Amino acid sequence: DKVPKVLNNIKEEIKNSCPELIADGARPFRAVWIDYKEDHLETFVDCHFNLPPIGKKYWENRQRVMEAINRVLKENDIELFTAVYPKLELE
């Protein structure tokens, strides 16, 4: 199945790209399906790092995570879906 393979590839790509990843079981590290929507499948990537959530190193690591996910999606011809919700106007 393509989706489990992609989710496993995302985890591997994050492991290879982010040396500060906590992957010893002390903190969650997962990439899972969380819901079926009308026109897409929703997934969740949960990873933790040996970095404080502030500063330059944090933001550089966050960028590496996003780039790792993007590489896997491109390799598997998967497009990102961005939900657009109508603006509610109150009178």
Side-chain angles (χ1 to χ4, degrees), residues 6-30:
V6 168
L7 293 172
N8 285 331
N9 290 352
I10 287 171
K11 287 179 63 177
E12 286 303 312
E13 192 69 24
I14 292 171
K15 279 183 193 177
N16 294 335
S17 302
C18 304
E20 298 86 2
L21 176 69
I22 300 171
D24 63 0
R27 299 294 306 270
F29 177 44
R30 55 189 160 224

Side-chain angles (χ1 to χ4, degrees), residues 25-38:
R27 299 294 306 270
F29 177 44
R30 55 189 160 224
V32 296
W33 294 2
I34 59 172
D35 203 357
Y36 288 102
K37 300 293 184 179
E38 185 176 310

